Amino acid sequence: MTISSLATAVAVGTLLGLCGRWAVPAGRSIPFWVPLAVAVGAAVLGSVVSHVVGIRATGISPLEVVLQVMCAGVAVTLVVATADRQPPEARPYDVSGSR
């Protein structure tokens, strides 16, 4: 992995992490750093996968960036969709039998 690949992964992950944090509904409480960390980690994973597959170029490869964006986008979507989920409130038992 080159320095430019790592820098691109951190930039892509930070941008998508901030977008994911912004998209969180107000009713859910997610620490600020969670979407950022997940997005940066997933973007770095996308960069590693691109190098393992054989996408190598001097500088920044557009295919590598696309793979970073896809990995980070999927990871942030999963985190935002599943974070701080509250179980549905149990309905109180109705003794009268009316519905």
Side-chain angles (χ1 to χ4, degrees):
M1 178 184 299
T2 62
I3 297 296
S4 63
S5 295
L6 185 60
T8 305
V10 169
V12 165
T14 302
L15 181 66
L16 287 175
L18 288 173
C19 290
R21 179 65 186 127
W22 175 71
V24 172
R28 294 187 179 180
S29 62
I30 300 174
F32 181 77
W33 59 271
V34 171
L36 287 171
V38 168
V40 169
V44 170
L45 179 67
S47 184
V48 168
V49 167
S50 73
H51 283 275
V52 168
V53 170
I55 302 172
R56 290 186 176 87
T58 55
I60 300 169
S61 169
L63 291 174
E64 182 179 358
V65 173
V66 167
L67 193 57
Q68 290 172 353
V69 169
M70 287 175 26
C71 287
V74 167
V76 168
T77 301
L78 288 174
V79 166
V80 168
T82 60
D84 192 32
R85 294 187 78 148
Q86 300 294 326
E89 295 179 4
R91 293 183 182 166
Y93 180 69
D94 189 9
V95 182
S96 67
S98 64
R99 294 187 186 243

